[in-house]
């Protein structure tokens, strides 16, 4: 087919043997276009070296071609206020957006702001990915407001029966079970849990329930004196560990609800002359990069941040296309390293 001047969607339609409307739907990724037709259109696009005019397309569809990633502040030792766990997920989200032809707007938010209203009204992005939220019970009303306003959004977090929104999260319960089973296998029986296990922090609560489930099945009493609240920071882990030691309650292992909490706990144990793992076995959760470099290297639970980022983007794009999306729980994997091995050998 001979064409003159700029290639248009009409040329694509003629070559593919479909209507111009079908070409437009295919280029938007509409699920209404069947796979065979989509392949013919893609072949025609490639043959004619057609480039989509994003500005014109956005005007027609009222889409910005941009997704927003809202990261909420977290107290950190380096004043970055970004939980290191989210940094690797940020990379996978960025790559996934690029693969789908979307731009990514990254915004750092404070909990005190009306971010839910700002992004629903601004039309800066076609949808929102949410990372980090602190107290879930305080955050839940804002999530409900997003849903009521018709804002397309998906978040990384616990999957709960009464949640108002869509979330992608890891299997926190099974992760907690895996840690507890491993520590019991090391001969530990007085296993402390550091982390807020209330409904305000549902990920921690699910990890605690997994831990408690295993202990109960093994006939090991769950001692309330061995649970100390802490948020996800090194300082919170350090202070919680100091409080546990000061309480005088005996313990031979610690399950920290996050790696950052475990790092702080490790420092406090060292200051009190308690060696890890000889005196106290220690495990965390998240498997952030630093976990393998502390001494001793930290036993933890791996959350696949690459898969998580890809699934967050995929779920949001499907929502934008009008598809029904359900919350999803991703599997986790126990990573055993020296910090929990009471025999002092093996591990990574």
């Amino acid at each position: 087919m001979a064409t003159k001047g700029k290639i248009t969607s009409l040329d694509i339609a003629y070559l593919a043997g479909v209507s111009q409307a079908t070409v437009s739907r295919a280029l938007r990724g509409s699920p209404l276009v069947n796979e065979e037709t989509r392949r013919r259109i893609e072949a025609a696009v490639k043959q004619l070296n057609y480039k989509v005019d994003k500005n014109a397309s956005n005007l027609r569809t009222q889409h910005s071609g941009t997704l927003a990633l809202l990261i909420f502040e977290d107290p950190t030792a380096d004043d970055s206020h970004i939980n290191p766990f989210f940094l690797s997920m940020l990379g996978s989200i960025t790559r996934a957006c690029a693969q789908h032809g979307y731009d990514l707007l990254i915004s750092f938010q404070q909990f005190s702001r009306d971010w839910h209203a700002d992004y629903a009204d601004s039309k800066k992005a076609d949808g929102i990915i949410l990372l980090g939220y602190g107290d879930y019970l305080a955050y839940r009303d804002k999530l409900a407001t997003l849903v009521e306003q018709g804002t397309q959004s998906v978040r990384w977090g616990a999957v709960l029966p009464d949640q108002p929104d869509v979330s992608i999260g890891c299997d926190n319960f099974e992760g907690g079970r895996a840690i507890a089973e491993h520590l019991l296998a090391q001969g530990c029986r007085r296993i402390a849990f550091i982390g807020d296990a209330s409904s305000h922090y549902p990920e921690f609560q699910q990890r605690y329930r997994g831990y408690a489930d295993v202990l109960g099945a093994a006939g090991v009493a769950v001692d309330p004196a061995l649970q100390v609240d802490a948020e996800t920071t090194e300082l919170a882990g350090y202070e919680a560990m100091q409080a546990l030691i000061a309480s005088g309650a005996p313990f031979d292992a610690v399950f920290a609800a996050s790696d950052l909490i475990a790092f702080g706990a490790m420092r406090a144990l060292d200051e009190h002359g308690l060696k890890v793992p000889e005196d106290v076995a220690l495990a965390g959760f998240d498997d952030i990069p630093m976990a393998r470099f502390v001494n001793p290297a930290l036993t933890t639970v791996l959350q696949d941040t690459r898969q998580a980022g890809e699934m967050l983007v995929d779920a949001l794009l499907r929502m934008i296309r009008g598809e029904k999306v359900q919350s999803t729980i991703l599997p986790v994997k126990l990573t055993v390293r020296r910090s929990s091995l009471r025999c002092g050998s093996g591990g990574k």
Side-chain angles (χ1 to χ4, degrees), residues 276-296:
V276 176
E278 291 84 357
D279 298 320
V280 178
L282 176 65
F285 203 106
D286 290 337
D287 200 15
I288 64 176
M290 187 58 67
R292 71 190 65 178
F293 294 110
V294 293
N295 186 23

Side-chain angles (χ1 to χ4, degrees), residues 91-320:
S92 64
I93 290 172
T94 303
R95 287 190 296 272
C97 285
Q99 289 169 358
H100 288 281
Y102 270 76
D103 294 325
L104 183 65
L105 172 65
I106 301 173
S107 180
F108 187 66
Q109 298 291 315
Q110 294 181 338
F111 293 113
S112 58
R113 291 184 55 193
D114 290 330
W115 52 267
H116 56 299
D118 293 345
Y119 273 82
D121 297 336
S122 68
K123 308 299 182 185
K124 293 177 182 178
D126 300 331
I128 302 172
I129 297 172
L130 303 164
L131 294 184
Y133 51 78
D135 185 333
Y136 173 76
L137 297 184
Y139 184 81
R140 190 183 185 282
D141 288 343
K142 293 187 176 182
L143 295 175
T145 299
L146 281 180
V147 174
E148 292 166 3
Q149 292 173 332
T151 302
Q152 306 294 350
S153 67
V154 62
R155 66 178 167 86
W156 172 260
V159 176
L160 304 169
D162 61 344
Q163 66 188 51
D165 61 333
V166 172
S167 64
I168 309 292
C170 85
D171 198 333
N172 293 288
F173 182 82
E174 285 302 319
R177 283 183 53 85
I179 289 290
E181 288 173 350
H182 168 69
L183 292 174
L184 286 175
Q186 297 300 305
C188 303
R189 291 297 180 269
R190 298 282 297 174
I191 305 173
F193 182 92
I194 299 182
D196 191 324
S198 73
S199 56
H200 290 271
Y201 295 85
E203 288 95 340
F204 285 7
Q205 184 181 53
Q206 291 173 358
R207 294 167 196 178
Y208 178 80
R209 286 175 174 171
Y211 143 93
D213 183 69
V214 167
L215 264 60
V220 177
V222 178
D223 187 349
L226 296 182
Q227 189 273 316
V228 185
D229 287 347
E231 297 180 7
T232 306
T233 68
E234 296 97 325
L235 179 59
Y238 175 83
E239 292 177 344
M241 191 72 256
Q242 293 277 17
L244 178 61
I245 293 171
S247 74
F251 60 94
D252 54 13
V254 174
F255 174 15
S258 76
D259 290 348
L260 293 182
I261 292 173
F263 298 158
M266 189 180 292
R267 173 68 179 270
L269 288 167
D270 179 68
E271 289 184 0
H272 283 269
L274 295 170
K275 295 183 179 181
V276 176
E278 291 84 357
D279 298 320
V280 178
L282 176 65
F285 203 106
D286 290 337
D287 200 15
I288 64 176
M290 187 58 67
R292 71 190 65 178
F293 294 110
V294 293
N295 186 23
L298 184 66
T299 289
T300 183
V301 171
L302 169 67
Q303 301 188 75
D304 190 337
T305 55
R306 179 171 182 174
Q307 183 185 16
E310 291 172 351
M311 291 191 68
L312 285 165
V313 172
D314 179 70
L316 184 56
L317 292 180
R318 286 191 285 120
M319 292 173 68
I320 291 169

Side-chain angles (χ1 to χ4, degrees), residues 31-71:
L32 298 176
V33 181
N34 65 50
E35 193 59 33
E36 180 183 351
T37 301
R38 191 184 306 279
R39 284 197 295 267
R40 292 209 312 272
I41 292 170
E42 290 173 351
V45 166
K46 185 176 181 180
Q47 181 176 335
L48 295 175
N49 195 28
Y50 176 69
K51 305 294 184 184
V52 177
D53 186 336
K54 289 184 68 174
N55 291 330
S57 176
N58 291 344
L59 287 173
R60 289 193 298 270
T61 64
Q62 296 299 305
H63 286 178
S64 67
T66 299
L67 301 182
L69 173 62
L70 272 58
I71 303 177

